[in-house]
Amino acid sequence: CHATEESDVENYLESPNCKSSRTKKKKPLVECPACKNKRDFEQGEFKLLWLFYLESFISSIFVFFPAFMVIYFIDSGFSFFQISLLTTILLFFRLLFEIPTGAIADLYGRKFSVLLGLLIGGIAFFLILFFDNFHSLIFIFGLLGFAGAFESGARESWAIDLIRKEKKNLSHNYF
């Protein structure tokens, strides 16, 4: 809230702009006057951050990937142990390469890191469909973990850098 003192809220309640003080007998719950007319998007926000919103929407589709992955691999003849080992390899590679890929993002830029991670991840997801050998899938899931490490943290940093570059005051609401 932008109101710094209780008197600010009381002054707003007594002002002619406050519709709630005239219509209700009880003391209403009042939002800060500066926050009163909030829109879904701030001025210029969607134009600046549309790519991040699109990527977030597409990524949310993959939330169900692990459930379908289990069904797909069981149907392909893998055991639960092998499936859990593939998942563990993905997470292990993501953890292992977190710092080196962060250094790459610092050296070559966050945009480069995110786009490279999305490219490697897309290729790896595509390759899953063509390989049913467990050893090949170990490599592919390691590649997925590597790709996830490229994206981790760099996406948010890229958005913040873009907001600061455009001198917008949007970052306090989202990151």
Side-chain angles (χ1 to χ4, degrees):
C1 181
H2 300 289
T4 55
E5 296 181 9
E6 191 175 307
S7 62
D8 291 341
V9 174
E10 288 175 9
N11 289 339
Y12 179 72
L13 284 173
E14 294 169 2
S15 74
N17 296 333
C18 181
K19 298 173 187 170
S20 60
S21 64
R22 288 177 268 160
T23 58
K24 297 181 181 178
K25 304 248 181 205
K26 295 180 182 178
K27 190 173 183 178
L29 296 173
V30 176
E31 292 180 15
C32 170
C35 302
K36 197 67 176 165
N37 295 323
K38 245 181 178 237
R39 293 177 278 172
D40 289 336
F41 293 105
E42 297 291 331
Q43 185 74 24
E45 173 188 352
F46 190 75
K47 183 179 179 184
L48 183 64
L49 300 175
W50 70 269
L51 183 65
F52 298 98
Y53 292 130
L54 178 65
E55 190 274 333
S56 179
F57 173 74
I58 292 171
S59 294
S60 66
I61 295 170
F62 287 100
V63 167
F64 299 106
F65 172 72
F68 290 108
M69 179 188 75
V70 171
I71 295 169
Y72 174 76
F73 286 130
I74 293 244
D75 191 45
S76 296
F78 291 101
S79 68
F80 282 114
F81 176 75
Q82 289 173 317
I83 296 168
S84 61
L85 191 59
L86 290 174
T87 305
T88 303
I89 287 169
L90 185 148
L91 296 174
F92 176 73
F93 271 75
R94 186 169 180 159
L95 179 66
L96 182 67
F97 288 106
E98 191 72 32
I99 292 175
T101 56
I104 290 172
D106 290 339
L107 287 173
Y108 297 106
R110 286 134 176 96
K111 181 179 181 179
F112 173 79
S113 181
V114 170
L115 294 177
L116 184 62
L118 288 171
L119 178 69
I120 293 171
I123 291 169
F125 269 115
F126 187 70
L127 287 176
I128 289 174
L129 300 173
F130 297 104
F131 290 94
D132 58 357
N133 180 1
F134 182 68
H135 298 293
S136 301
L137 288 172
I138 287 175
F139 173 75
I140 292 170
F141 272 76
L143 201 59
L144 278 172
F146 184 63
F150 268 109
E151 295 176 52
S152 173
R155 181 184 306 114
E156 292 83 7
S157 299
W158 179 21
I160 291 294
D161 289 348
L162 189 60
I163 290 169
R164 286 184 182 152
K165 179 182 168 190
E166 297 293 324
K167 295 179 177 54
K168 300 281 184 179
N169 190 19
L170 304 171
S171 61
H172 69 279
N173 290 331
Y174 305 102
F175 304 103

